[in-house]
Amino acid sequence: MKPKHKKNHDGPKVTRGVKTLDEAQAWFRSQNIEEIECVVPDLAGVARGKIMPVRKFLGTPSMNLPLAVFYQTITGDFPEFEGAVNAVQSDTDIFLTPDLATLATVPWAQDPTAQVIHDAFHPDGRPVEESPRQVLRRVLSLYREKGWSPIVAPEIEFYLVEKNIDWDYPLKPPVGRSGRPESGRQGYSISAVNEFDALFEDMYEYSERQGLEIDTLIHESGVAQMEINLRHGTPLELADQVFMMKRTIREAAMEHDIYATFMAKPMAGEPGSAMHVHQSILTEDGDNLFSDPKTGEATPSFYAFIAGQQRYLPAIMAILAPYVNSYRRIARDSGAPVNTQWGYDNRTCGLRVPPSDPANRRVENRIPSSDANPYLAIAAVLACGYLGMTQNLAPTAPVEIDAGARGIELPRSLLESVTLFEEAKALTDILGATFCTAYARVKQAEYETFMRTISPWEREFLLLNV
């Protein structure tokens, strides 16, 4: 069924971004925008912020929120602040300044509405280190000092599921246009994608109106599991696009009375959902750092980049697999890579080198799950590659067989991952000690919340047997 309230669909196609407030004012006028969503991504990648009239935004584009917005857990609680910030500091105001390059419409809104992503600053002008956008900016500044410009291309997997009002019940695939839910594995099926044509038409239109550049849409191997590939670009821009794309997909799905979920493992017996990140680096001359400009052969930097990701992958798992549920995907025979190995076009490896010409030589990190914060996941994998190149690390030999046969080489639980994260001083220096402390506290608090919940498995097998 087609949505009934798309009031933004008529009129010119619009894209993302302006340079100045004067340009923003003219853009608001041309689009008849009267309201704006002022958002900032928190540690989970959730959009926090305020909604305000455009006239207020133009008069005072900066807004205030408490620092604690970057300490909020996925359940809306807060960790113990002792040792991170004190209770007074956590409730003090920070100032959020709009990045006008991210200004776009909110296509699914009933009335003409805009959105803009903000950066966070302390009253004295210092960037807020706990902000995911700032963490990514911090890593990119290290690359910039070397004359390097990273390029990334994320791939985001997600499931379409029937609306689930009672969370005690397992998720089910939704009914498509045939009137039947999908059954069996339909990997790469065009007809299975066509079951949800109306939804994806809306998703594409919403994306176009926000300047989001979709490369491809495919059906993945799970029941009603899809994958969106975004065109390659600079890391901050692509992280913004993933952040906005997740909102877009969820909203488009809900207009069709179904859910889209980015949980890493939403359904038992089905594959998990990943956020693969393709990475390459350009030199100041615009050449691919991973390829010799004369011979086209792989450079030492290419191998060192891989080696850095191999060495530090376990230490960033708390970022790449940020929830208890994420580790249900990182399991033997799950279809997801569970190792730190690398190989040429070998999808059983955590690090895959896709077939390409020298100019497009890149590394695909296949470990992140789709529930990861895109800013933090991209920052973390680039930090590992940076350490590999600056420490002149050497990788293992590429794997040509099933790398899963070597066993699980990654941490199996959130607590184990957080411990490794806290112990990795080299990563703390790059990502920022304040952020690392905040992130670890939030993850520990989320784990404790999970432990207060008794699962159906426990009731089924322990209730009367132990």
Side-chain angles (χ1 to χ4, degrees):
M1 183 176 67
K2 296 291 286 184
K4 295 180 179 178
H5 59 268
K6 299 181 187 175
K7 295 187 179 178
N8 275 6
H9 282 204
D10 295 330
K13 300 298 182 185
V14 292
T15 53
R16 190 175 68 258
V18 297
K19 293 181 179 179
T20 66
L21 273 180
D22 287 341
E23 289 182 10
Q25 185 172 15
W27 183 84
F28 290 139
R29 192 180 302 115
S30 70
Q31 301 296 323
N32 297 315
I33 301 290
E34 296 182 355
E35 200 168 62
I36 184 167
E37 297 179 352
C38 301
V39 302
V40 61
D42 72 358
L43 292 186
V46 173
R48 308 287 180 185
K50 298 179 180 180
I51 301 174
M52 65 179 68
V54 162
R55 63 181 182 276
K56 177 177 174 60
F57 174 82
L58 291 171
T60 311
S62 181
M63 67 172 177
N64 298 3
L65 285 176
L67 177 62
V69 72
F70 294 117
Y71 286 83
Q72 193 166 1
T73 69
I74 197 66
T75 61
D77 298 317
F78 296 92
E80 291 293 331
F81 289 115
E82 185 179 352
V85 294
N86 61 48
V88 174
Q89 288 175 317
S90 70
D91 210 30
T92 56
D93 273 352
I94 55 174
F95 297 88
L96 300 171
T97 302
D99 181 348
L100 294 176
T102 68
L103 183 65
T105 60
V106 181
W108 52 84
Q110 295 190 33
D111 297 310
T113 304
Q115 60 183 319
V116 65
I117 301 173
H118 286 60
D119 288 308
F121 298 91
H122 291 287
D124 60 8
R126 290 178 298 116
V128 173
E129 288 190 28
E130 297 94 331
S131 166
R133 270 188 128 225
Q134 173 56 24
V135 174
L136 180 52
R137 287 185 189 276
R138 181 183 176 114
V139 173
L140 294 178
S141 70
L142 297 176
Y143 275 83
R144 193 161 50 248
E145 290 172 3
K146 296 286 187 181
W148 299 334
S149 300
I151 300 295
V152 299
E155 302 172 349
I156 321 159
E157 296 173 349
F158 61 96
Y159 276 88
L160 299 176
V161 298
E162 183 181 283
K163 270 193 171 180
N164 182 269
I165 307 302
D166 188 335
W167 47 77
D168 275 340
Y169 286 89
L171 298 175
K172 299 177 182 178
V175 173
R177 66 178 186 174
S178 67
R180 294 182 175 183
E182 188 176 307
S183 61
R185 299 286 171 85
Q186 300 292 334
Y188 307 107
S189 168
I190 298 296
S191 61
V193 172
N194 290 342
E195 281 286 292
F196 303 98
D197 262 351
L199 187 163
F200 290 126
E201 285 173 9
D202 291 341
M203 183 195 72
Y204 270 97
E205 183 169 0
Y206 289 170
S207 299
E208 183 179 356
R209 288 179 171 273
Q210 297 171 90
L212 306 179
E213 299 185 74
I214 298 175
D215 191 20
T216 58
L217 165 69
I218 63 171
H219 193 296
E220 264 294 342
S221 55
V223 174
Q225 185 188 32
M226 310 293 170
E227 177 182 283
I228 290 285
N229 297 340
L230 298 177
R231 293 180 182 174
H232 64 273
T234 58
L236 185 60
E237 180 184 6
L238 266 296
D240 285 338
Q241 289 204 40
V242 173
F243 170 69
M244 297 169 76
M245 181 61 73
K246 282 187 171 184
R247 293 187 73 200
T248 299
I249 294 170
R250 287 194 197 98
E251 292 291 340
M254 280 196 282
E255 287 198 347
H256 291 265
D257 208 34
I258 61 179
Y259 290 158
T261 179
F262 296 89
M263 280 180 66
K265 186 76 169 180
M267 289 192 277
E270 295 295 333
S273 291
M275 181 177 67
H276 302 150
V277 181
H278 292 251
Q279 311 150 83
S280 59
I281 303 169
L282 299 182
T283 66
E284 290 178 317
D285 295 328
D287 297 323
N288 189 335
L289 183 67
F290 293 163
S291 297
D292 186 289
K294 294 182 179 179
T295 67
E297 297 298 317
T299 62
S301 294
F302 171 71
Y303 295 111
F305 187 89
I306 290 173
Q309 301 216 348
Q310 282 192 296
R311 175 171 295 186
Y312 291 104
L313 260 177
I316 62 169
M317 281 299 290
I319 290 177
L320 306 188
Y323 303 102
V324 173
N325 175 266
S326 310
Y327 295 84
R328 300 188 188 281
R329 171 179 167 262
I330 306 297
R332 193 184 301 275
D333 300 324
S334 66
V338 294
N339 56 73
T340 61
Q341 302 301 315
W342 76 282
Y344 294 101
D345 200 18
N346 186 341
R347 285 183 168 85
T348 68
C349 294
L351 301 167
R352 169 180 171 257
V353 178
S356 71
D357 58 27
N360 294 301
R361 181 175 276 116
R362 62 195 185 275
V363 178
E364 178 193 13
N365 193 315
R366 297 176 56 78
I367 299 299
S369 50
S370 61
D371 55 4
N373 181 317
Y375 300 96
L376 299 181
I378 292 172
V381 296
L382 289 177
C384 294
Y386 176 86
L387 286 172
M389 291 187 293
T390 55
Q391 295 176 355
N392 295 315
L393 300 182
T396 60
V399 174
E400 297 180 357
I401 61 172
D402 181 357
R406 301 193 176 199
I408 298 176
E409 301 172 339
L410 298 169
R412 298 298 309 279
S413 71
L414 181 59
L415 277 189
E416 183 185 355
S417 293
V418 171
T419 298
L420 294 175
F421 178 70
E422 290 183 298
E423 293 174 348
K425 185 180 183 305
L427 281 168
T428 300
D429 292 341
I430 290 183
L431 300 177
T434 301
F435 159 73
C436 290
T437 299
Y439 191 80
R441 290 296 178 85
V442 166
K443 292 298 128 184
Q444 289 160 349
E446 288 173 348
Y447 180 81
E448 293 302 330
T449 302
F450 171 81
M451 290 302 290
R452 293 198 289 269
T453 301
I454 308 302
S455 70
W457 185 93
E458 292 162 275
R459 291 191 290 270
E460 180 177 356
F461 293 105
L462 303 182
L463 183 67
L464 301 178
N465 291 332
V466 295

